[in-house]
Amino acid sequence: MTYNTLFMFVQLLMTICSGWSANSNPLLSSPIGPYRVVFKQVYICNPKQNNKIQHYLYLSHKANSTWIFGNTTLEIPLDDTFFLEMSMSVKDSFGNWKENVFMHKVSKACSSFKKLMGNTWKLFLHGNGIQNTECPILPGVYKSPGFDLSLFDKSNFPKSFFYGTYKFRMFYSKSNEIFGCQVYIIELKRP
């Protein structure tokens, strides 16, 4: 329920902000709207910390698209006993990061992430070498044959957002302990 409320609030905020533009074509001057994602970088939050859920991923560019490869090591099942936490930082006009401009924490990490990925859930898991597409995701070492990141367009992520460059941290937590963390640096551009 909190997932839907959060994204309805973001959509309402975007609609109100787009109405502030005095230009005859508000989408051309608006700081928000439909976007395309450019993935800049992906890395583990703290590589020296021995987390029980580790994603060793990297980006590769081929055939005019960006793919993600690597491997995932789960020492424990990734299930609904975890929280899925997200924290976004935005790069300002001077090139500095403004930390924690958006934070969200939701229970039932596996099911919540599955809902967020929508129709791309199975493709995402298979692209990360995980054949079981139901929660929980069992312990093991999974080698990624590759996932085309343009498929995120078909997920349940908001279809419009503020343009800019973001550092997006996603981590799994339980009882105030972090079990895994990944950072994505992305740029949201006009289509």
Side-chain angles (χ1 to χ4, degrees):
M1 188 67 172
T2 60
Y3 168 81
N4 291 333
T5 306
L6 170 73
F7 288 109
M8 286 181 5
F9 173 76
V10 169
Q11 291 288 351
L12 176 64
L13 180 64
M14 286 187 233
T15 303
I16 291 169
C17 289
S18 66
W20 290 344
S21 174
N23 193 331
S24 61
N25 189 348
L27 290 179
L28 292 179
S29 63
S30 176
I32 60 170
Y35 59 86
R36 65 182 173 89
V37 180
V38 177
F39 285 84
K40 300 284 196 176
Q41 193 175 4
V42 60
Y43 58 91
I44 208 164
C45 293
N46 186 352
K48 294 182 180 183
Q49 187 174 358
N50 189 18
N51 289 323
K52 303 243 184 240
I53 299 172
Q54 299 173 8
H55 304 286
Y56 299 101
L57 305 174
Y58 64 94
L59 301 176
S60 177
H61 304 282
K62 64 179 191 176
N64 295 328
S65 63
T66 304
W67 288 65
I68 196 161
F69 292 97
N71 66 60
T72 296
T73 302
L74 301 177
E75 295 177 17
I76 56 175
L78 178 55
D79 58 22
D80 283 344
T81 62
F82 291 99
F83 285 94
L84 178 64
E85 297 190 50
M86 294 169 258
S87 169
M88 287 177 71
S89 303
V90 65
K91 190 178 272 190
D92 66 17
S93 59
F94 299 107
N96 300 316
W97 290 107
K98 289 188 174 185
E99 299 293 329
N100 302 324
V101 295
F102 174 76
M103 297 186 323
H104 185 63
K105 181 177 182 177
V106 63
S107 60
K108 298 183 179 180
C110 189
S111 297
S112 295
F113 192 52
K114 181 178 181 179
K115 183 177 180 180
L116 186 62
M117 292 301 292
N119 294 333
T120 61
W121 171 252
K122 289 181 182 180
L123 295 171
F124 178 76
L125 288 181
H126 291 160
N128 282 289
I130 302 169
Q131 298 308 311
N132 173 33
T133 59
E134 298 301 320
C135 292
I137 300 172
L138 300 176
V141 177
Y142 301 99
K143 185 175 180 187
S144 170
F147 176 73
D148 182 357
L149 292 171
S150 68
L151 293 173
F152 274 115
D153 292 345
K154 297 176 181 157
S155 70
N156 291 332
F157 283 92
K159 301 305 178 202
S160 59
F161 204 79
F162 293 92
Y163 300 121
T165 302
Y166 296 93
K167 187 187 318 180
F168 180 77
R169 285 184 194 91
M170 184 176 81
F171 47 99
Y172 314 102
S173 66
K174 186 189 320 186
S175 303
N176 295 323
E177 182 181 351
I178 294 176
F179 285 80
C181 180
Q182 194 72 25
V183 175
Y184 298 86
I185 296 179
I186 60 172
E187 187 175 358
L188 301 183
K189 294 183 164 187
R190 295 180 195 282

